[in-house]
Amino acid sequence: MTFIGSIGMIMNGGSRVIWAGLQDKLGFRNVYFVLLSLQLVVSCSIYFLRKSVTLYTIWVCLALMCEGGHFTMYPTVCVNIFGIQLGGQIFTIMYFAIPLSSFTGFLINEFMKDFISE
């Protein structure tokens, strides 16, 4: 798992240059549609590929590649939409919502376990 994670993080970092270049050439909508489509396919199928070490490694790398795309594309879009002054601040708020949503999911899960067991 450490090896797979290491390879995946290399893909995450290396893919950022590719996503940024594609966004410059093709625009945000086209590239983001491809990114979300790839992420949807990977997230829906990774469970079924968990027994094959090779395919699982490739899928983890693809998932982390998609994550790299989000971190590359959104700062540019925030600055384009909200301007140089507010773009960075709004991007920070957007990414603050990620751990907040994870924590909220944890709390809902804990609440539902107690609620269902009664």
Side-chain angles (χ1 to χ4, degrees):
M1 290 304 289
T2 302
F3 177 73
I4 293 172
S6 300
I7 299 298
M9 291 313 282
I10 290 169
M11 294 296 290
N12 179 313
S15 71
R16 292 177 186 213
V17 175
I18 296 167
W19 290 118
L22 287 172
Q23 182 181 1
D24 288 343
K25 286 189 184 345
L26 303 173
F28 175 78
R29 284 182 188 237
N30 296 328
V31 177
Y32 200 64
F33 177 77
V34 170
L35 179 111
L36 286 181
S37 300
L38 178 62
Q39 190 170 9
L40 178 66
V41 169
V42 168
S43 63
C44 288
S45 59
I46 195 166
Y47 177 79
F48 302 107
L49 301 173
R50 70 189 186 280
K51 297 196 187 239
S52 170
V53 174
T54 305
L55 288 175
Y56 185 75
T57 302
I58 292 169
W59 255 239
V60 167
C61 289
L62 288 172
L64 290 170
M65 250 178 63
C66 291
E67 182 183 6
H70 290 290
F71 279 104
T72 300
M73 296 171 71
Y74 265 96
T76 306
V77 170
C78 282
V79 169
N80 287 341
I81 292 173
F82 301 107
I84 196 77
Q85 296 295 325
L86 293 175
Q89 295 170 357
I90 291 174
F91 177 73
T92 302
I93 292 168
M94 284 175 49
Y95 272 82
F96 177 72
I98 294 170
L100 188 62
S101 64
S102 295
F103 183 67
T104 304
F106 169 76
L107 291 177
I108 290 170
N109 184 41
E110 290 299 311
F111 174 73
M112 292 306 289
K113 280 195 298 189
D114 293 341
F115 183 72
I116 291 172
S117 66
E118 291 179 1

